[in-house]
Structures are given as structure tokens and as C-alpha cells.
């Protein structure tokens, strides 16, 4: 290998190492960004499911207070129903594309829709002044069953979201370890290329100085000394 080729290789070696490591690092960063977005959606979806179940209980409690003529309960009921509808509208967009998650979301939405219908009918009874009928509706086993189904569906979805969060955190940890490994490889590669560059540049410099000394000996008609063992352009 001649000196020019060797010099070109050593000059391009750091750039080649950076490119070899920058491309995987860019891919890893994109995966981290996508994974973080999925984790954020899963967290928001779990929060929306909890809000639906919690506000169902608030709405039910407000109806029971209205049975006993609590005037402030109507506002509390309206706020709880509004919060349930808002969370129901957000949940499908946060569910993602996982079939199990979509099935759980559909179950929550179906249970919530049934509960809204039941709560709405009791609210109508109270607005019409049928307090005894409203109290009877709240005491029916069917009402308790519907509310329990919604609560169970919400808890199941929260557990599913937590499992998804744990999986996402594990993936983030693996990506972080891989990124650290790439950083170490880059450091070792750059150090090695610097050592090689220092070695070959020093060797070439010493050879050029040796040629200068032999040239002076030649013009003084002195012996040149031992021939060079090099196999590149700098050989005399």
C-alpha cells in the first residue's frame, strides 16, 4: 500500500466511523421518540378511563343527593356527566392500534353509554318531581350491576395500560443501553484511528527526515547507511 492511499484511508476513517454510528443512532432516536409518544398516549388513555369510572360515581352520588332535595347536587351531576362525555370522546383517539386495547376501549364505551342512559332516565324522573321513583331506580340491582360493569372495565383497561407502560419503559431502557454501546464503540474507534494516524504520520515524518539526512550524505560523498525497509514512496 503506497503512502498516499494509506493517508487517504486514515483521513477518511474517522468520518466513516461517524457515519456508521450516526445512522443507527438516528434510527434509535426515532424509535425512542415514537415509543415516548405511545407511552404518553397510553398514560392519557388510562387517565381517561379512570375519569369515566370516577365521574360515574360522582354522578350517581349527585343523583342520590338530589333525591333528598340537595339543590347543589344538580350542578355536580351536570359537571360529572359532562366530564364523562369528554373522556369518552378522547378515549378512542388514545387507544392506538393494538387489538386488545381497542377491545377494552370499546367495552368501556359500551358500558359508559348504558350508564349514561340509566343516569339520564333517573335525572328525568328527578326533574319531573318523581323522587320516589328515582330512589327506586337507584336501588335496583340492575343499576348497581351496570355501574359495577363500568368500574370493572375501567380497572381492566388501567391494568392493561400499566402493562403497556412497563413494556415501553423496558424498551426505552434497551434503547438507552444500545445508544450507550454505540457511543463506546465510537469512542474506541476514534481513539484507534487517532493512534494509527499518529503512528503512520510519525513514521512518514521520520522517513522524510532520514531521506534529508541521506541526501546531505550523498552530496558530501559519504556512505548513505543501511537501506530503508519501507515499501512505499519514501524508500531509499
Amino acid at each position: 500500500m503506497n503512502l498516499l492511499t494509506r493517508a487517504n484511508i486514515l483521513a477518511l476513517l474517522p468520518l466513516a466511523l461517524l457515519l456508521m454510528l450516526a445512522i443507527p443512532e438516528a434510527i434509535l432516536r426515532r424509535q425512542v421518540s415514537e415509543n415516548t409518544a405511545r407511552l404518553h398516549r397510553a398514560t392519557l388513555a388510562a387517565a381517561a378511563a379512570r375519569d369515566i369510572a370516577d365521574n360515574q360515581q360522582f354522578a350517581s352520588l349527585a343523583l342520590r343527593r338530589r333525591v333528598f332535595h340537595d339543590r347543589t347536587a344538580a350542578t355536580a351531576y351536570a359537571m360529572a356527566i359532562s366530564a364523562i362525555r369528554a373522556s369518552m370522546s378522547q378515549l378512542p383517539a388514545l387507544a392506538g392500534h393494538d387489538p386488545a386495547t381497542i377491545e377494552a376501549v370499546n367495552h368501556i364505551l359500551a358500558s359508559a353509554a348504558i350508564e349514561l342512559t340509566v343516569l339520564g332516565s333517573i335525572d328525568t324522573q328527578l326533574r319531573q318531581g318523581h323522587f320516589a321513583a328515582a330512589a327506586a331506580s337507584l336501588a335496583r340491582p340492575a343499576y348497581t350491576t351496570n355501574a359495577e360493569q363500568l368500574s370493572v372495565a375501567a380497572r381492566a383497561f388501567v391494568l392493561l395500560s400499566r402493562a403497556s407502560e412497563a413494556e415501553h419503559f423496558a424498551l426505552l431502557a434497551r434503547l438507552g443501553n444500545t445508544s450507550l454501546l454505540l457511543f463506546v464503540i465510537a469512542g474506541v474507534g476514534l481513539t484507534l484511528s487517532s493512534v494509527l494516524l499518529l503512528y503512520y504520520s510519525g513514521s512518514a515524518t521520520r522517513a522524510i527526515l532520514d531521506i534529508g539526512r541521506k541526501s546531505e550524505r550523498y552530496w558530501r560523498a559519504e556512505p548513505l547507511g543501511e537501506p530503508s525497509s519501507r515499501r512505499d514512496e519514501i524508500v531509499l
Side-chain angles (χ1 to χ4, degrees), residues 54 64 139 148 175 187:
D54 291 344
R64 297 180 188 278
E148 184 63 25
L175 291 176

Side-chain angles (χ1 to χ4, degrees), residues 49 53 56-57 104 107-108 111 144-159:
Q56 183 277 332
Q57 296 179 3
H107 189 192
I108 291 175
S111 299
T144 304
T145 301
N146 291 334
E148 184 63 25
Q149 287 178 349
L150 176 58
S151 179
V152 169
R155 286 197 300 267
F157 182 76
V158 170
L159 292 176

Side-chain angles (χ1 to χ4, degrees), residues 7 12 17 26-27 46 50 56 67 82 87 93 101 107 118 127 134 158 173 182 210:
L12 293 175
L17 286 171
I27 295 174
R50 286 193 298 267
Q56 183 277 332
V67 169
S82 178
S87 297
T101 304
H107 189 192
V118 174
R127 289 178 182 276
V158 170
L182 289 175
D210 188 44

